[in-house]
Amino acid sequence: MLGNISIWQLLIVLAIIVLLFGTKKLRGIGSDLGSAVRGFRSSIKDDDAEQQPEVTPNAQLSDQAKADTDKNAAAQAATKDKV
């Protein structure tokens, strides 16, 4: 359907849109759309950062913390096996 549209037809449609709305209005719409996309991307990055807890290597943990970590990992594995 869109394969039959030539570059000249697209340019004519673009010229009509510029005449109807004006360049200032189109520039404002473009900047609003760009800021909305940037805000969306930053909120997705913030959500990903919140969901991923900081992981401390086992070498830096105390002996008690290592034991707790091993117990939690075993409990999670057992829970996954049940589901």
Side-chain angles (χ1 to χ4, degrees):
M1 183 176 186
L2 293 176
N4 296 334
I5 297 175
S6 70
I7 188 72
W8 294 109
Q9 292 168 335
L10 289 175
L11 289 174
I12 291 170
V13 169
L14 181 64
I16 291 171
I17 290 173
V18 169
L19 288 174
L20 287 176
F21 294 108
T23 56
K24 289 183 181 180
K25 186 79 162 185
L26 291 175
R27 191 178 313 130
I29 291 171
S31 65
D32 290 343
L33 183 63
S35 64
V37 169
R38 280 191 296 274
F40 179 73
R41 286 182 182 169
S42 67
S43 67
I44 289 177
K45 288 180 183 177
D46 291 343
D47 289 343
D48 288 343
E50 290 175 3
Q51 290 177 356
Q52 295 177 353
E54 292 184 22
V55 178
T56 307
N58 284 341
Q60 295 177 353
L61 296 175
S62 67
D63 291 334
Q64 181 64 32
K66 288 179 187 177
D68 291 341
T69 303
D70 293 338
K71 287 179 187 177
N72 289 339
Q76 288 177 352
T79 305
K80 287 181 182 178
D81 291 338
K82 290 180 184 178
V83 177

